[in-house]
Amino acid sequence: MTTVDDFTFTGAGDEMLATLNHTDTDTVVRIRPDGRHTTVLSAADGLRNPTAIEARGDTVYVLDAAYVTADDPNLLVAGLRDLR
């Protein structure tokens, strides 16, 4: 089962970004108002158990706790425009 741990609005209407946190789906997805969703960050970007997300201006901050792996917790910073 995949669960949403946190979400933030992007500033583009009702579009949002959400952290999905589970051992096999550690991702950040963009969710559009019609419900369509696209993965925009994943383990390939360094995510391990993303737990919080915040969009400020053109920047997105993802707290990556790595609480399951206990390996390399970090703060991932990405450009919002790069995630659209």
Side-chain angles (χ1 to χ4, degrees):
M1 181 167 92
T2 300
T3 58
V4 172
D5 202 317
D6 195 17
F7 67 92
T8 187
F9 289 96
T10 65
D14 291 335
E15 180 183 80
M16 68 176 71
L17 297 171
T19 57
L20 303 183
N21 196 340
H22 198 277
T23 56
D24 61 345
T25 55
D26 295 330
T27 59
V28 172
V29 295
R30 181 182 65 218
I31 304 170
R32 298 180 184 203
D34 64 4
R36 291 182 297 147
H37 60 279
T38 306
T39 298
V40 294
L41 294 170
S42 68
D45 301 298
L47 289 181
R48 290 180 184 85
N49 309 119
T51 57
I53 189 166
E54 181 65 34
R56 294 282 182 176
D58 291 334
T59 306
V60 175
Y61 303 90
V62 183
L63 177 61
D64 192 15
Y67 64 86
V68 172
T69 63
D71 179 39
D72 193 27
N74 60 69
L75 177 66
L76 189 142
V77 180
L80 183 58
R81 292 180 185 152
D82 297 332
L83 303 181
R84 289 196 172 143

